[in-house]
Amino acid sequence: MRIKTIVLSSIMSLFLSGCMDIEPTVLNEINIATAVSYDYIDKDHFTSTAVIPYYMPDKKVNNVTFTATASLSKDVRQKMNQQTDKPIYSGKIEVILYSKELAKHDLTRMTDTLIRDPSVGNTVYLAIVDGKAEDVLIKQLGNVDKGTYLSNAIEHNIQSGILPKTNLHLFSYAQNAEGMDPFLPIIKPKNGNPLITGVALFNQGVFVYQTKEHENVIFKMLVEQSSNKEGFSAKLGEKLFASVYNISSKVSYNIPEPMTNSPIIINLNIEAVLREFTGDKVDKKEIRKIEKKMENVLKKRAEKLIVKLQKLDVDPLGVGEQVRTRTRSWDKKEWKKLYPNIPFQVNVKLNILESGAVE
C-alpha cells in the first residue's frame, strides 16, 4: 500500500509539473516583493515602488525599495529588474497601494492586470493612499517587513476595527457585479506611520468619495454582519454622552416590491456593551433610555449616509444585488434609473447586554 502511494505521488508530481511548466527557483537567488505602490504621473504613465525585505543574520529586517516609471505593469517590473542583481518575483505580495490621484483616473485597468497575473493571489489587500503611495513604503516601520506590517494593519481593522471585508477578489467581484460597487480602505501617512482613516468608494472604477470618521462604523454595519471590538460614541443630550463597544451587528433587507420606487427597509440589529456614560446612574430603566437614544442616532446616521450614496450614484452596500435576487424582472439599466430616488427606511434595534465598568 505504501509503495502504491509513493508511486502515485510521484506520477502526480510529474503530471502537475508537466502541465504547469513550473520553473524551479531558489529563494536566495531571487528578490521577493511583499508590497507595491502606484502613483499617478499622467494618463499614460505611473510610478511604481516595490519593497523587498532582506532578513539579516542578526534577525533584523532591512526593507529595500526599487522605483520605476512606465505605462504597463510588466514594463515596470522589467525596469526594476535592471536595478537589481536578482530577478524580482511578485508571488508573495501582500499589499498593493494606489494613490488617491491615480484612483481618480480609474483603477479598472490596474486591477484587471492583477486578476490576470497567476502569481498574485486573490486575497492580496488593495488600499488607497491619501497622498503619495510611495511615501508609505519608503519609511522604515521598525524591525518588520513593510508588506507584512501593512497586511496585518488591514487585517486587524477588518477583524475588530472599521473596515468591512476587502481584498482583490472581493473588489473585482463588486466591480463586475451588476448590483453593487466596490470599496477599498484608505491609508494616510501620519508622522511617518500609515493610519487607516476610512473607506474609498468607487463608481465604474473611479474614486468618488471617502467616508468620514463618524460614517465608518455605520458603513461597516450596513455592508455586512460584523463585530467591532472598538465601538462608537454618541451625543444623547446637551451634556449627555454614551459609548458602547464589543459590537455585534446583523443587517437584513425587506424589499416588498423589487424593481419599483417603493421604499426599501433595512433592519439593523446590534448587540453591545456600555463602556461609558456621563449620566448620574445606570440601571435597567436608564439603559433602555440609552438604547432608544442611540438607536435614533444610528438611524439618522445610516439614512443620511444612504442618501449621500444615492447622490453619488454608488452602491457599495449591494442594494442592487439584494433586489436582483428577489425578482425575475431584473434590468441593470432600469435599476440605475430607480436607485437614486428610492426612499430607504433603516430600523435599528440596539440591545445593551451589560454595562461593563460604568456600574
Side-chain angles (χ1 to χ4, degrees):
M1 185 68 182
R2 185 183 176 191
I3 294 174
K4 288 183 179 179
T5 303
I6 294 172
V7 171
L8 181 60
S9 299
S10 301
I11 293 172
M12 288 297 293
S13 298
L14 289 170
F15 176 77
L16 291 172
S17 298
C19 291
M20 299 177 66
D21 192 24
I22 298 173
E23 182 180 347
T25 56
V26 180
L27 289 179
N28 61 2
E29 294 180 358
I30 60 175
N31 288 312
I32 302 176
T34 59
V36 178
S37 69
Y38 294 92
D39 284 290
Y40 180 81
I41 296 180
D42 56 44
K43 65 178 182 178
D44 297 317
H45 300 87
F46 56 83
T47 296
S48 180
T49 298
V51 171
I52 313 294
Y54 289 96
Y55 295 87
M56 313 306 289
D58 58 359
K59 297 184 179 181
K60 290 184 178 180
V61 179
N62 183 25
N63 291 286
V64 177
T65 58
F66 297 95
T67 301
T69 299
S71 57
L72 295 173
S73 298
K74 302 305 179 186
D75 292 343
V76 162
R77 187 183 301 182
Q78 181 178 338
K79 290 184 177 182
M80 287 182 182
N81 279 325
Q82 292 172 354
Q83 305 171 36
T84 68
D85 61 337
K86 303 171 186 177
I88 296 175
Y89 276 67
S90 56
K92 287 289 290 181
I93 289 179
E94 298 187 53
V95 177
I96 299 174
L97 307 176
Y98 303 99
S99 69
K100 185 187 287 188
E101 185 63 27
L102 180 63
K104 290 178 180 178
H105 292 81
D106 194 354
L107 287 184
T108 303
R109 181 169 66 91
M110 308 289 288
T111 54
D112 281 350
T113 300
L114 294 176
I115 291 293
R116 299 172 195 279
D117 189 342
S119 68
V120 178
N122 283 338
T123 57
V124 64
Y125 288 125
L126 311 181
I128 304 302
V129 177
D130 190 358
K132 287 188 66 176
E134 179 186 25
D135 292 344
V136 177
L137 299 185
I138 288 177
K139 183 176 175 60
Q140 180 75 29
L141 300 173
N143 185 34
V144 65
D145 164 28
K146 290 179 187 174
T148 301
Y149 180 93
L150 292 169
S151 175
N152 289 343
I154 294 173
E155 178 70 20
H156 158 66
N157 275 275
I158 291 173
Q159 294 295 332
S160 59
I162 63 172
L163 293 180
K165 293 177 183 177
T166 174
N167 55 39
L168 173 59
H169 170 72
L170 294 175
F171 180 89
S172 178
Y173 177 83
Q175 175 68 32
N176 295 300
E178 293 190 352
M180 65 171 60
D181 291 304
F183 56 83
L184 291 176
I186 282 195
I187 296 175
K188 184 173 184 178
K190 186 175 182 180
N191 300 324
N193 295 315
L195 175 68
I196 295 175
T197 58
V199 178
L201 307 183
F202 292 82
N203 187 345
Q204 301 295 316
V206 178
F207 167 80
V208 293
Y209 183 71
Q210 174 181 348
T211 56
K212 305 295 188 293
E213 183 177 356
H214 67 277
E215 297 171 332
N216 288 330
V217 172
I218 194 66
F219 178 79
K220 180 171 183 174
M221 290 180 182
L222 291 171
V223 168
E224 64 184 16
Q225 297 188 21
S226 62
S227 60
N228 186 337
K229 295 179 181 178
E230 297 299 320
F232 65 92
S233 303
K235 184 178 181 180
L236 308 181
E238 188 174 343
K239 295 183 179 180
L240 197 62
F241 295 85
S243 175
V244 296
Y245 74 118
N246 274 0
I247 301 165
S248 174
S249 64
K250 294 182 179 180
V251 61
S252 61
Y253 284 77
N254 184 7
I255 308 175
E257 300 178 55
M259 289 304 294
T260 69
N261 58 1
S262 60
I264 291 178
I265 300 170
I266 300 178
N267 299 305
L268 192 57
N269 293 299
I270 306 168
E271 293 183 342
V273 175
L274 184 63
R275 174 169 54 186
E276 189 174 355
F277 178 57
T278 58
D280 296 330
K281 61 179 180 178
V282 180
D283 53 25
K284 290 185 178 180
K285 185 177 180 180
E286 191 64 31
I287 285 178
R288 189 59 197 135
K289 288 182 181 179
I290 295 170
E291 288 174 340
K292 282 294 184 184
K293 289 180 179 179
M294 294 195 86
E295 284 171 358
N296 290 332
V297 170
L298 289 169
K299 175 182 174 68
K300 290 178 181 178
R301 288 187 188 180
E303 291 179 346
K304 187 176 180 180
L305 176 60
I306 291 172
V307 169
K308 185 177 293 184
L309 298 178
Q310 288 177 288
K311 288 181 179 179
L312 292 167
D313 195 24
V314 295
D315 186 12
L317 307 184
V319 179
E321 280 293 286
Q322 296 289 336
V323 172
R324 188 181 65 82
T325 59
R326 289 168 167 80
T327 180
R328 293 183 179 180
S329 59
W330 168 260
D331 184 284
K332 181 181 178 180
K333 291 183 178 179
E334 182 64 23
W335 170 249
K336 292 292 285 184
K337 295 177 183 178
L338 289 171
Y339 174 66
N341 300 308
I342 291 177
F344 282 82
Q345 176 185 326
V346 180
N347 297 327
V348 180
K349 175 63 177 176
L350 172 62
N351 181 23
I352 294 179
L353 301 177
E354 56 181 281
S355 54
V358 284
E359 272 192 321

